[in-house]
Amino acid sequence: MAMPKDPVMLLSYVNTQLRDNYPSLDELCRALGESREEIEKTLGAIDYEYSPQQNRFV
């Protein structure tokens, strides 16, 4: 499945994947072949950043 392009949909998708399937953002990116930088840039545009402690974007 392709990752959503809409930032709000991407936020929901990524946080759900992190909660259910991946121990870190790096693991998610490796497994799905996605760019961590692009995800962080897209979600940063709507004022979210990755929290390694919580393993989610907040």
Side-chain angles (χ1 to χ4, degrees), residues 1-5 10 13-14 25-40 42:
M1 173 183 172
M3 292 189 106
K5 299 294 182 209
L10 180 64
Y13 177 78
V14 168
L25 182 57
D26 287 330
E27 287 293 320
L28 178 145
C29 291
R30 266 194 293 277
L32 301 180
E34 297 290 338
S35 163
R36 178 182 175 136
E37 294 77 21
E38 282 299 311
I39 292 171
E40 289 183 309
T42 300

Side-chain angles (χ1 to χ4, degrees), residues 5 15 18 21 23-24 28 33 36 40 46-47 50 53 55:
K5 299 294 182 209
N15 275 346
L18 289 169
N21 301 311
S24 71
L28 178 145
R36 178 182 175 136
E40 289 183 309
I46 59 169
D47 297 322
Y50 180 65
Q53 296 80 13
N55 191 35

